[in-house]
């Protein structure tokens, strides 16, 4: 049995882009198509007829050109607080149809199997000696340039940092939950 994971359709109120669309639904679809492609050619639209048939097309979407644009980042994983996921678990990806927790959920794809899980920490450094910065730790190994983590999460680096808003006194601790077996950290 799969568990539910909800994805935000807009940036949260504390984010500089508050209220703007995240496009996570479309980014997840693009990431699933890329992760599951078998040959060198693919189109984001190969799974659209199935998605429409299964009723997922209730969600606003971007134009075809934008989906196929290389600048439109696919989403290959999500990062969640806590430590409750393991490889082989399945989740049902969903979004809220309206106000979070006060509206129905919309299933955006079939259940997704988790291919990889990493422990994840994000810390802020604010010392005179080291300067200011943010660093991430994945499975106990510090990542000096975590840009790829942000990209694989479907966000630009600045948006990624603003999403987690870590403080020196309160780092973020959780897991990277990945559905693309080609991703490695």
């Amino acid at each position: 049995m799969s568990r539910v994971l909800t994805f935000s359709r807009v940036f949260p109120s504390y984010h500089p882009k508050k209220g703007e669309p995240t496009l996570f639904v479309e980014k997840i679809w693009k990431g699933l198509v890329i992760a599951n492609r078998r040959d060198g050619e693919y189109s984001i639209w190969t799974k659209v007829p199935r998605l429409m048939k299964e009723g997922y097309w209730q969600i606003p979407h971007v134009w075809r050109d934008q989906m196929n644009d290389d600048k439109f980042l696919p989403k290959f994983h999500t990062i969640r607080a806590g430590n409750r996921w393991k490889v082989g678990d399945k989740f049902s990806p969903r979004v809220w149809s309206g106000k979070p927790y006060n509206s129905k959920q919309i299933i955006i794809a079939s259940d997704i199997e988790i291919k990889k899980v990493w422990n994840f920490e994000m810390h802020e450094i604010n010392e005179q000696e080291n300067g200011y910065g943010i660093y991430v730790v994945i499975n106990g190994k510090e990542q000096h340039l975590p840009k790829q983590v942000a990209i694989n999460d479907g966000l630009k680096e600045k948006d990624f940092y603003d999403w987690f808003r870590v403080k020196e006194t309160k780092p973020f601790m959780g897991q990277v939950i990945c559905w693309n077996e080609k991703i490695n950290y």
Side-chain angles (χ1 to χ4, degrees), residues 12 14-15 75 78-81 120-123 134 136 149-150 153 155 157-167 170-176:
Y14 60 81
H15 197 280
K75 187 167 176 64
T78 188
I79 298 172
R80 301 298 165 117
F120 178 85
E121 300 173 28
M122 185 181 277
H123 301 267
I134 294 175
V136 300
V149 177
D153 207 49
L155 294 168
E157 196 171 6
K158 171 112 174 69
D159 292 334
F160 182 76
Y161 292 145
D162 288 339
W163 189 284
F164 289 99
R165 295 188 58 166
V166 296
K167 301 286 182 209
K170 190 174 182 204
F172 178 86
M173 310 281 275
Q175 291 179 300
V176 178

PDB file of all heavy atoms in Angstrom, residues 12 14-15 75 78-81 120-123 134 136 149-150 153 155 157-167 170-176:
ATOM      1  N   PRO A  12       5.346  28.835  -0.937  1.00  0.00           N
ATOM      2  CA  PRO A  12       4.746  29.152   0.363  1.00  0.00           C
ATOM      3  C   PRO A  12       4.831  30.638   0.721  1.00  0.00           C
ATOM      4  O   PRO A  12       5.604  31.391   0.130  1.00  0.00           O
ATOM      5  CB  PRO A  12       5.562  28.297   1.344  1.00  0.00           C
ATOM      6  CG  PRO A  12       6.819  27.954   0.639  1.00  0.00           C
ATOM      7  CD  PRO A  12       6.537  27.992  -0.828  1.00  0.00           C
ATOM      8  N   TYR A  14       6.193  32.288   3.075  1.00  0.00           N
ATOM      9  CA  TYR A  14       7.475  32.828   3.538  1.00  0.00           C
ATOM     10  C   TYR A  14       8.508  32.961   2.414  1.00  0.00           C
ATOM     11  O   TYR A  14       9.567  33.518   2.606  1.00  0.00           O
ATOM     12  CB  TYR A  14       8.048  31.966   4.672  1.00  0.00           C
ATOM     13  CG  TYR A  14       8.291  30.524   4.274  1.00  0.00           C
ATOM     14  CD1 TYR A  14       9.438  30.142   3.583  1.00  0.00           C
ATOM     15  CD2 TYR A  14       7.356  29.542   4.577  1.00  0.00           C
ATOM     16  CE1 TYR A  14       9.654  28.832   3.219  1.00  0.00           C
ATOM     17  CE2 TYR A  14       7.570  28.226   4.228  1.00  0.00           C
ATOM     18  CZ  TYR A  14       8.720  27.875   3.549  1.00  0.00           C
ATOM     19  OH  TYR A  14       8.931  26.570   3.184  1.00  0.00           O
ATOM     20  N   HIS A  15       8.222  32.427   1.252  1.00  0.00           N
ATOM     21  CA  HIS A  15       9.155  32.438   0.114  1.00  0.00           C
ATOM     22  C   HIS A  15       9.043  33.758  -0.644  1.00  0.00           C
ATOM     23  O   HIS A  15       7.944  34.305  -0.769  1.00  0.00           O
ATOM     24  CB  HIS A  15       8.823  31.261  -0.815  1.00  0.00           C
ATOM     25  CG  HIS A  15       9.904  30.909  -1.762  1.00  0.00           C
ATOM     26  ND1 HIS A  15      10.130  31.616  -2.923  1.00  0.00           N
ATOM     27  CD2 HIS A  15      10.827  29.922  -1.725  1.00  0.00           C
ATOM     28  CE1 HIS A  15      11.141  31.069  -3.559  1.00  0.00           C
ATOM     29  NE2 HIS A  15      11.592  30.046  -2.859  1.00  0.00           N
ATOM     30  N   LYS A  75      11.520  17.249 -12.141  1.00  0.00           N
ATOM     31  CA  LYS A  75      11.634  16.953 -10.706  1.00  0.00           C
ATOM     32  C   LYS A  75      11.834  15.449 -10.562  1.00  0.00           C
ATOM     33  O   LYS A  75      10.974  14.664 -10.950  1.00  0.00           O
ATOM     34  CB  LYS A  75      10.382  17.427  -9.968  1.00  0.00           C
ATOM     35  CG  LYS A  75      10.472  17.328  -8.462  1.00  0.00           C
ATOM     36  CD  LYS A  75       9.332  18.106  -7.833  1.00  0.00           C
ATOM     37  CE  LYS A  75       9.295  17.991  -6.332  1.00  0.00           C
ATOM     38  NZ  LYS A  75      10.453  18.562  -5.652  1.00  0.00           N
ATOM     39  N   THR A  78      12.015  14.495  -4.091  1.00  0.00           N
ATOM     40  CA  THR A  78      11.479  15.469  -3.158  1.00  0.00           C
ATOM     41  C   THR A  78      12.236  15.316  -1.855  1.00  0.00           C
ATOM     42  O   THR A  78      12.805  14.256  -1.580  1.00  0.00           O
ATOM     43  CB  THR A  78       9.956  15.293  -2.956  1.00  0.00           C
ATOM     44  OG1 THR A  78       9.450  16.380  -2.193  1.00  0.00           O
ATOM     45  CG2 THR A  78       9.613  13.983  -2.296  1.00  0.00           C
ATOM     46  N   ILE A  79      12.265  16.372  -1.076  1.00  0.00           N
ATOM     47  CA  ILE A  79      12.965  16.350   0.200  1.00  0.00           C
ATOM     48  C   ILE A  79      11.933  16.593   1.291  1.00  0.00           C
ATOM     49  O   ILE A  79      11.178  17.559   1.227  1.00  0.00           O
ATOM     50  CB  ILE A  79      14.080  17.407   0.231  1.00  0.00           C
ATOM     51  CG1 ILE A  79      15.109  17.083  -0.864  1.00  0.00           C
ATOM     52  CG2 ILE A  79      14.730  17.464   1.610  1.00  0.00           C
ATOM     53  CD1 ILE A  79      16.152  18.135  -1.082  1.00  0.00           C
ATOM     54  N   ARG A  80      11.895  15.691   2.257  1.00  0.00           N
ATOM     55  CA  ARG A  80      10.899  15.762   3.328  1.00  0.00           C
ATOM     56  C   ARG A  80      11.576  15.635   4.682  1.00  0.00           C
ATOM     57  O   ARG A  80      12.553  14.907   4.835  1.00  0.00           O
ATOM     58  CB  ARG A  80       9.855  14.646   3.173  1.00  0.00           C
ATOM     59  CG  ARG A  80       9.110  14.680   1.851  1.00  0.00           C
ATOM     60  CD  ARG A  80       8.319  15.976   1.705  1.00  0.00           C
ATOM     61  NE  ARG A  80       7.878  16.206   0.354  1.00  0.00           N
ATOM     62  CZ  ARG A  80       6.612  16.271  -0.011  1.00  0.00           C
ATOM     63  NH1 ARG A  80       5.652  16.116   0.875  1.00  0.00           N
ATOM     64  NH2 ARG A  80       6.309  16.499  -1.273  1.00  0.00           N
ATOM     65  N   ALA A  81      11.023  16.333   5.658  1.00  0.00           N
ATOM     66  CA  ALA A  81      11.516  16.245   7.030  1.00  0.00           C
ATOM     67  C   ALA A  81      11.244  14.847   7.581  1.00  0.00           C
ATOM     68  O   ALA A  81      10.319  14.164   7.146  1.00  0.00           O
ATOM     69  CB  ALA A  81      10.835  17.303   7.897  1.00  0.00           C
ATOM     70  N   PHE A 120      19.408  13.671   4.630  1.00  0.00           N
ATOM     71  CA  PHE A 120      19.679  15.014   4.120  1.00  0.00           C
ATOM     72  C   PHE A 120      19.668  16.017   5.262  1.00  0.00           C
ATOM     73  O   PHE A 120      18.788  15.982   6.120  1.00  0.00           O
ATOM     74  CB  PHE A 120      18.594  15.382   3.099  1.00  0.00           C
ATOM     75  CG  PHE A 120      18.714  16.759   2.528  1.00  0.00           C
ATOM     76  CD1 PHE A 120      19.534  16.995   1.438  1.00  0.00           C
ATOM     77  CD2 PHE A 120      18.000  17.816   3.072  1.00  0.00           C
ATOM     78  CE1 PHE A 120      19.643  18.268   0.902  1.00  0.00           C
ATOM     79  CE2 PHE A 120      18.095  19.085   2.534  1.00  0.00           C
ATOM     80  CZ  PHE A 120      18.925  19.315   1.447  1.00  0.00           C
ATOM     81  N   GLU A 121      20.665  16.896   5.264  1.00  0.00           N
ATOM     82  CA  GLU A 121      20.719  18.004   6.226  1.00  0.00           C
ATOM     83  C   GLU A 121      21.091  19.264   5.459  1.00  0.00           C
ATOM     84  O   GLU A 121      21.887  19.215   4.535  1.00  0.00           O
ATOM     85  CB  GLU A 121      21.795  17.764   7.285  1.00  0.00           C
ATOM     86  CG  GLU A 121      21.615  16.519   8.102  1.00  0.00           C
ATOM     87  CD  GLU A 121      22.812  16.263   9.011  1.00  0.00           C
ATOM     88  OE1 GLU A 121      23.500  17.241   9.403  1.00  0.00           O
ATOM     89  OE2 GLU A 121      23.060  15.092   9.312  1.00  0.00           O
ATOM     90  N   MET A 122      20.528  20.384   5.882  1.00  0.00           N
ATOM     91  CA  MET A 122      20.907  21.678   5.328  1.00  0.00           C
ATOM     92  C   MET A 122      21.211  22.606   6.494  1.00  0.00           C
ATOM     93  O   MET A 122      20.402  22.736   7.413  1.00  0.00           O
ATOM     94  CB  MET A 122      19.805  22.262   4.451  1.00  0.00           C
ATOM     95  CG  MET A 122      20.218  23.551   3.771  1.00  0.00           C
ATOM     96  SD  MET A 122      18.906  24.255   2.747  1.00  0.00           S
ATOM     97  CE  MET A 122      19.107  23.318   1.264  1.00  0.00           C
ATOM     98  N   HIS A 123      22.395  23.215   6.446  1.00  0.00           N
ATOM     99  CA  HIS A 123      22.877  24.071   7.528  1.00  0.00           C
ATOM    100  C   HIS A 123      23.243  25.450   6.988  1.00  0.00           C
ATOM    101  O   HIS A 123      23.681  25.582   5.845  1.00  0.00           O
ATOM    102  CB  HIS A 123      24.134  23.469   8.171  1.00  0.00           C
ATOM    103  CG  HIS A 123      23.934  22.114   8.729  1.00  0.00           C
ATOM    104  ND1 HIS A 123      23.590  21.900  10.035  1.00  0.00           N
ATOM    105  CD2 HIS A 123      24.039  20.881   8.156  1.00  0.00           C
ATOM    106  CE1 HIS A 123      23.494  20.599  10.253  1.00  0.00           C
ATOM    107  NE2 HIS A 123      23.753  19.960   9.132  1.00  0.00           N
ATOM    108  N   ILE A 134      25.420  28.380   2.919  1.00  0.00           N
ATOM    109  CA  ILE A 134      24.568  27.244   3.233  1.00  0.00           C
ATOM    110  C   ILE A 134      25.266  26.014   2.674  1.00  0.00           C
ATOM    111  O   ILE A 134      25.811  26.040   1.576  1.00  0.00           O
ATOM    112  CB  ILE A 134      23.169  27.410   2.604  1.00  0.00           C
ATOM    113  CG1 ILE A 134      22.461  28.588   3.265  1.00  0.00           C
ATOM    114  CG2 ILE A 134      22.357  26.136   2.755  1.00  0.00           C
ATOM    115  CD1 ILE A 134      21.123  28.933   2.664  1.00  0.00           C
ATOM    116  N   VAL A 136      24.940  21.554   2.419  1.00  0.00           N
ATOM    117  CA  VAL A 136      24.100  20.381   2.630  1.00  0.00           C
ATOM    118  C   VAL A 136      24.982  19.177   2.925  1.00  0.00           C
ATOM    119  O   VAL A 136      26.133  19.104   2.487  1.00  0.00           O
ATOM    120  CB  VAL A 136      23.160  20.081   1.434  1.00  0.00           C
ATOM    121  CG1 VAL A 136      22.227  21.233   1.175  1.00  0.00           C
ATOM    122  CG2 VAL A 136      23.929  19.728   0.194  1.00  0.00           C
ATOM    123  N   VAL A 149      21.518  19.215  -6.387  1.00  0.00           N
ATOM    124  CA  VAL A 149      20.413  18.764  -5.530  1.00  0.00           C
ATOM    125  C   VAL A 149      19.187  19.631  -5.803  1.00  0.00           C
ATOM    126  O   VAL A 149      18.076  19.129  -5.956  1.00  0.00           O
ATOM    127  CB  VAL A 149      20.810  18.821  -4.039  1.00  0.00           C
ATOM    128  CG1 VAL A 149      19.628  18.408  -3.162  1.00  0.00           C
ATOM    129  CG2 VAL A 149      22.006  17.924  -3.764  1.00  0.00           C
ATOM    130  N   ALA A 150      19.392  20.941  -5.886  1.00  0.00           N
ATOM    131  CA  ALA A 150      18.287  21.867  -6.173  1.00  0.00           C
ATOM    132  C   ALA A 150      17.687  21.581  -7.539  1.00  0.00           C
ATOM    133  O   ALA A 150      16.466  21.511  -7.695  1.00  0.00           O
ATOM    134  CB  ALA A 150      18.778  23.312  -6.096  1.00  0.00           C
ATOM    135  N   ASP A 153      15.599  18.619  -7.697  1.00  0.00           N
ATOM    136  CA  ASP A 153      14.359  18.839  -6.958  1.00  0.00           C
ATOM    137  C   ASP A 153      13.403  19.749  -7.732  1.00  0.00           C
ATOM    138  O   ASP A 153      12.334  20.085  -7.236  1.00  0.00           O
ATOM    139  CB  ASP A 153      14.674  19.424  -5.577  1.00  0.00           C
ATOM    140  CG  ASP A 153      13.614  19.081  -4.555  1.00  0.00           C
ATOM    141  OD1 ASP A 153      13.243  17.905  -4.458  1.00  0.00           O
ATOM    142  OD2 ASP A 153      13.147  20.001  -3.861  1.00  0.00           O
ATOM    143  N   LEU A 155      14.005  22.908  -8.760  1.00  0.00           N
ATOM    144  CA  LEU A 155      14.087  24.310  -8.366  1.00  0.00           C
ATOM    145  C   LEU A 155      15.436  24.918  -8.750  1.00  0.00           C
ATOM    146  O   LEU A 155      16.439  24.211  -8.827  1.00  0.00           O
ATOM    147  CB  LEU A 155      13.916  24.451  -6.846  1.00  0.00           C
ATOM    148  CG  LEU A 155      12.556  24.088  -6.273  1.00  0.00           C
ATOM    149  CD1 LEU A 155      12.643  23.993  -4.758  1.00  0.00           C
ATOM    150  CD2 LEU A 155      11.514  25.102  -6.697  1.00  0.00           C
ATOM    151  N   GLU A 157      18.632  27.179  -7.652  1.00  0.00           N
ATOM    152  CA  GLU A 157      19.360  27.122  -6.386  1.00  0.00           C
ATOM    153  C   GLU A 157      18.835  28.125  -5.355  1.00  0.00           C
ATOM    154  O   GLU A 157      18.608  27.780  -4.203  1.00  0.00           O
ATOM    155  CB  GLU A 157      20.847  27.354  -6.645  1.00  0.00           C
ATOM    156  CG  GLU A 157      21.728  26.951  -5.507  1.00  0.00           C
ATOM    157  CD  GLU A 157      23.205  26.990  -5.878  1.00  0.00           C
ATOM    158  OE1 GLU A 157      23.564  27.430  -6.981  1.00  0.00           O
ATOM    159  OE2 GLU A 157      24.000  26.583  -5.022  1.00  0.00           O
ATOM    160  N   LYS A 158      18.608  29.355  -5.737  1.00  0.00           N
ATOM    161  CA  LYS A 158      18.117  30.385  -4.806  1.00  0.00           C
ATOM    162  C   LYS A 158      16.729  30.010  -4.277  1.00  0.00           C
ATOM    163  O   LYS A 158      16.460  30.130  -3.084  1.00  0.00           O
ATOM    164  CB  LYS A 158      18.078  31.744  -5.492  1.00  0.00           C
ATOM    165  CG  LYS A 158      17.378  32.822  -4.682  1.00  0.00           C
ATOM    166  CD  LYS A 158      18.313  33.888  -4.209  1.00  0.00           C
ATOM    167  CE  LYS A 158      17.631  35.042  -3.527  1.00  0.00           C
ATOM    168  NZ  LYS A 158      17.032  34.766  -2.257  1.00  0.00           N
ATOM    169  N   ASP A 159      15.843  29.549  -5.171  1.00  0.00           N
ATOM    170  CA  ASP A 159      14.497  29.135  -4.747  1.00  0.00           C
ATOM    171  C   ASP A 159      14.567  27.960  -3.770  1.00  0.00           C
ATOM    172  O   ASP A 159      13.797  27.879  -2.818  1.00  0.00           O
ATOM    173  CB  ASP A 159      13.635  28.766  -5.949  1.00  0.00           C
ATOM    174  CG  ASP A 159      13.301  29.962  -6.819  1.00  0.00           C
ATOM    175  OD1 ASP A 159      13.294  31.095  -6.298  1.00  0.00           O
ATOM    176  OD2 ASP A 159      13.049  29.766  -8.022  1.00  0.00           O
ATOM    177  N   PHE A 160      15.495  27.050  -4.028  1.00  0.00           N
ATOM    178  CA  PHE A 160      15.699  25.885  -3.157  1.00  0.00           C
ATOM    179  C   PHE A 160      16.085  26.334  -1.748  1.00  0.00           C
ATOM    180  O   PHE A 160      15.491  25.906  -0.764  1.00  0.00           O
ATOM    181  CB  PHE A 160      16.785  25.005  -3.778  1.00  0.00           C
ATOM    182  CG  PHE A 160      17.093  23.745  -3.036  1.00  0.00           C
ATOM    183  CD1 PHE A 160      16.245  22.659  -3.096  1.00  0.00           C
ATOM    184  CD2 PHE A 160      18.267  23.634  -2.303  1.00  0.00           C
ATOM    185  CE1 PHE A 160      16.544  21.474  -2.429  1.00  0.00           C
ATOM    186  CE2 PHE A 160      18.574  22.464  -1.630  1.00  0.00           C
ATOM    187  CZ  PHE A 160      17.711  21.385  -1.696  1.00  0.00           C
ATOM    188  N   TYR A 161      17.071  27.233  -1.641  1.00  0.00           N
ATOM    189  CA  TYR A 161      17.510  27.730  -0.329  1.00  0.00           C
ATOM    190  C   TYR A 161      16.382  28.479   0.373  1.00  0.00           C
ATOM    191  O   TYR A 161      16.172  28.321   1.566  1.00  0.00           O
ATOM    192  CB  TYR A 161      18.720  28.639  -0.465  1.00  0.00           C
ATOM    193  CG  TYR A 161      19.972  27.925  -0.917  1.00  0.00           C
ATOM    194  CD1 TYR A 161      20.886  28.549  -1.742  1.00  0.00           C
ATOM    195  CD2 TYR A 161      20.245  26.612  -0.528  1.00  0.00           C
ATOM    196  CE1 TYR A 161      22.037  27.902  -2.163  1.00  0.00           C
ATOM    197  CE2 TYR A 161      21.384  25.955  -0.942  1.00  0.00           C
ATOM    198  CZ  TYR A 161      22.280  26.610  -1.755  1.00  0.00           C
ATOM    199  OH  TYR A 161      23.409  25.963  -2.167  1.00  0.00           O
ATOM    200  N   ASP A 162      15.668  29.321  -0.390  1.00  0.00           N
ATOM    201  CA  ASP A 162      14.571  30.088   0.206  1.00  0.00           C
ATOM    202  C   ASP A 162      13.441  29.177   0.678  1.00  0.00           C
ATOM    203  O   ASP A 162      12.725  29.504   1.624  1.00  0.00           O
ATOM    204  CB  ASP A 162      14.036  31.120  -0.787  1.00  0.00           C
ATOM    205  CG  ASP A 162      15.002  32.275  -1.005  1.00  0.00           C
ATOM    206  OD1 ASP A 162      15.874  32.506  -0.139  1.00  0.00           O
ATOM    207  OD2 ASP A 162      14.897  32.948  -2.054  1.00  0.00           O
ATOM    208  N   TRP A 163      13.257  28.045   0.014  1.00  0.00           N
ATOM    209  CA  TRP A 163      12.198  27.103   0.395  1.00  0.00           C
ATOM    210  C   TRP A 163      12.468  26.539   1.793  1.00  0.00           C
ATOM    211  O   TRP A 163      11.575  26.438   2.617  1.00  0.00           O
ATOM    212  CB  TRP A 163      12.118  25.964  -0.618  1.00  0.00           C
ATOM    213  CG  TRP A 163      10.930  25.084  -0.411  1.00  0.00           C
ATOM    214  CD1 TRP A 163      10.768  24.129   0.551  1.00  0.00           C
ATOM    215  CD2 TRP A 163       9.718  25.095  -1.172  1.00  0.00           C
ATOM    216  NE1 TRP A 163       9.538  23.531   0.424  1.00  0.00           N
ATOM    217  CE2 TRP A 163       8.879  24.109  -0.629  1.00  0.00           C
ATOM    218  CE3 TRP A 163       9.288  25.822  -2.266  1.00  0.00           C
ATOM    219  CZ2 TRP A 163       7.622  23.835  -1.135  1.00  0.00           C
ATOM    220  CZ3 TRP A 163       8.041  25.546  -2.772  1.00  0.00           C
ATOM    221  CH2 TRP A 163       7.216  24.570  -2.215  1.00  0.00           C
ATOM    222  N   PHE A 164      13.720  26.160   2.057  1.00  0.00           N
ATOM    223  CA  PHE A 164      14.054  25.517   3.323  1.00  0.00           C
ATOM    224  C   PHE A 164      14.356  26.504   4.450  1.00  0.00           C
ATOM    225  O   PHE A 164      14.224  26.153   5.609  1.00  0.00           O
ATOM    226  CB  PHE A 164      15.202  24.523   3.138  1.00  0.00           C
ATOM    227  CG  PHE A 164      14.772  23.312   2.372  1.00  0.00           C
ATOM    228  CD1 PHE A 164      15.034  23.206   1.021  1.00  0.00           C
ATOM    229  CD2 PHE A 164      14.064  22.305   2.993  1.00  0.00           C
ATOM    230  CE1 PHE A 164      14.608  22.099   0.308  1.00  0.00           C
ATOM    231  CE2 PHE A 164      13.640  21.188   2.285  1.00  0.00           C
ATOM    232  CZ  PHE A 164      13.912  21.091   0.943  1.00  0.00           C
ATOM    233  N   ARG A 165      14.762  27.714   4.124  1.00  0.00           N
ATOM    234  CA  ARG A 165      14.989  28.791   5.094  1.00  0.00           C
ATOM    235  C   ARG A 165      15.636  28.311   6.388  1.00  0.00           C
ATOM    236  O   ARG A 165      15.102  28.501   7.477  1.00  0.00           O
ATOM    237  CB  ARG A 165      13.673  29.474   5.421  1.00  0.00           C
ATOM    238  CG  ARG A 165      13.076  30.184   4.246  1.00  0.00           C
ATOM    239  CD  ARG A 165      11.906  30.972   4.650  1.00  0.00           C
ATOM    240  NE  ARG A 165      12.338  31.932   5.676  1.00  0.00           N
ATOM    241  CZ  ARG A 165      11.642  32.955   6.075  1.00  0.00           C
ATOM    242  NH1 ARG A 165      10.469  33.168   5.572  1.00  0.00           N
ATOM    243  NH2 ARG A 165      12.084  33.769   6.986  1.00  0.00           N
ATOM    244  N   VAL A 166      16.783  27.716   6.267  1.00  0.00           N
ATOM    245  CA  VAL A 166      17.473  27.226   7.462  1.00  0.00           C
ATOM    246  C   VAL A 166      18.096  28.390   8.228  1.00  0.00           C
ATOM    247  O   VAL A 166      18.401  29.429   7.666  1.00  0.00           O
ATOM    248  CB  VAL A 166      18.560  26.186   7.105  1.00  0.00           C
ATOM    249  CG1 VAL A 166      17.938  24.958   6.500  1.00  0.00           C
ATOM    250  CG2 VAL A 166      19.610  26.765   6.197  1.00  0.00           C
ATOM    251  N   LYS A 167      18.266  28.185   9.500  1.00  0.00           N
ATOM    252  CA  LYS A 167      18.925  29.143  10.386  1.00  0.00           C
ATOM    253  C   LYS A 167      20.096  28.437  11.055  1.00  0.00           C
ATOM    254  O   LYS A 167      20.102  27.212  11.178  1.00  0.00           O
ATOM    255  CB  LYS A 167      17.958  29.660  11.462  1.00  0.00           C
ATOM    256  CG  LYS A 167      16.732  30.344  10.903  1.00  0.00           C
ATOM    257  CD  LYS A 167      17.094  31.690  10.365  1.00  0.00           C
ATOM    258  CE  LYS A 167      15.864  32.398   9.842  1.00  0.00           C
ATOM    259  NZ  LYS A 167      16.132  33.310   8.796  1.00  0.00           N
ATOM    260  N   LYS A 170      18.832  26.280  13.705  1.00  0.00           N
ATOM    261  CA  LYS A 170      17.860  25.237  13.381  1.00  0.00           C
ATOM    262  C   LYS A 170      18.071  24.711  11.958  1.00  0.00           C
ATOM    263  O   LYS A 170      17.426  25.156  11.021  1.00  0.00           O
ATOM    264  CB  LYS A 170      16.438  25.767  13.529  1.00  0.00           C
ATOM    265  CG  LYS A 170      15.421  24.663  13.433  1.00  0.00           C
ATOM    266  CD  LYS A 170      14.028  25.147  13.716  1.00  0.00           C
ATOM    267  CE  LYS A 170      13.104  23.963  13.643  1.00  0.00           C
ATOM    268  NZ  LYS A 170      11.765  24.311  13.349  1.00  0.00           N
ATOM    269  N   PRO A 171      18.968  23.740  11.798  1.00  0.00           N
ATOM    270  CA  PRO A 171      19.161  23.163  10.464  1.00  0.00           C
ATOM    271  C   PRO A 171      17.963  22.307  10.057  1.00  0.00           C
ATOM    272  O   PRO A 171      17.181  21.883  10.903  1.00  0.00           O
ATOM    273  CB  PRO A 171      20.413  22.309  10.617  1.00  0.00           C
ATOM    274  CG  PRO A 171      20.489  21.988  12.063  1.00  0.00           C
ATOM    275  CD  PRO A 171      19.841  23.136  12.795  1.00  0.00           C
ATOM    276  N   PHE A 172      17.838  22.054   8.752  1.00  0.00           N
ATOM    277  CA  PHE A 172      16.789  21.170   8.249  1.00  0.00           C
ATOM    278  C   PHE A 172      17.342  19.755   8.237  1.00  0.00           C
ATOM    279  O   PHE A 172      18.446  19.508   7.745  1.00  0.00           O
ATOM    280  CB  PHE A 172      16.372  21.580   6.832  1.00  0.00           C
ATOM    281  CG  PHE A 172      15.329  20.663   6.257  1.00  0.00           C
ATOM    282  CD1 PHE A 172      13.980  20.876   6.500  1.00  0.00           C
ATOM    283  CD2 PHE A 172      15.698  19.563   5.485  1.00  0.00           C
ATOM    284  CE1 PHE A 172      13.019  20.015   5.988  1.00  0.00           C
ATOM    285  CE2 PHE A 172      14.752  18.700   4.973  1.00  0.00           C
ATOM    286  CZ  PHE A 172      13.405  18.932   5.226  1.00  0.00           C
ATOM    287  N   MET A 173      16.565  18.800   8.744  1.00  0.00           N
ATOM    288  CA  MET A 173      16.963  17.395   8.765  1.00  0.00           C
ATOM    289  C   MET A 173      15.837  16.572   8.141  1.00  0.00           C
ATOM    290  O   MET A 173      14.676  16.737   8.520  1.00  0.00           O
ATOM    291  CB  MET A 173      17.191  16.921  10.196  1.00  0.00           C
ATOM    292  CG  MET A 173      18.085  17.824  11.028  1.00  0.00           C
ATOM    293  SD  MET A 173      19.797  17.600  10.701  1.00  0.00           S
ATOM    294  CE  MET A 173      20.158  16.266  11.766  1.00  0.00           C
ATOM    295  N   GLY A 174      16.191  15.722   7.187  1.00  0.00           N
ATOM    296  CA  GLY A 174      15.173  14.900   6.555  1.00  0.00           C
ATOM    297  C   GLY A 174      15.772  13.888   5.604  1.00  0.00           C
ATOM    298  O   GLY A 174      16.876  13.388   5.826  1.00  0.00           O
ATOM    299  N   GLN A 175      15.023  13.614   4.526  1.00  0.00           N
ATOM    300  CA  GLN A 175      15.441  12.631   3.534  1.00  0.00           C
ATOM    301  C   GLN A 175      15.186  13.154   2.126  1.00  0.00           C
ATOM    302  O   GLN A 175      14.211  13.872   1.887  1.00  0.00           O
ATOM    303  CB  GLN A 175      14.647  11.332   3.689  1.00  0.00           C
ATOM    304  CG  GLN A 175      14.935  10.548   4.932  1.00  0.00           C
ATOM    305  CD  GLN A 175      14.077   9.296   4.991  1.00  0.00           C
ATOM    306  OE1 GLN A 175      12.854   9.374   5.005  1.00  0.00           O
ATOM    307  NE2 GLN A 175      14.722   8.140   5.034  1.00  0.00           N
ATOM    308  N   VAL A 176      16.066  12.741   1.224  1.00  0.00           N
ATOM    309  CA  VAL A 176      15.826  12.911  -0.202  1.00  0.00           C
ATOM    310  C   VAL A 176      15.127  11.633  -0.648  1.00  0.00           C
ATOM    311  O   VAL A 176      15.648  10.535  -0.448  1.00  0.00           O
ATOM    312  CB  VAL A 176      17.141  13.090  -0.996  1.00  0.00           C
ATOM    313  CG1 VAL A 176      16.854  13.205  -2.489  1.00  0.00           C
ATOM    314  CG2 VAL A 176      17.926  14.288  -0.499  1.00  0.00           C
TER     315      VAL A 176
END
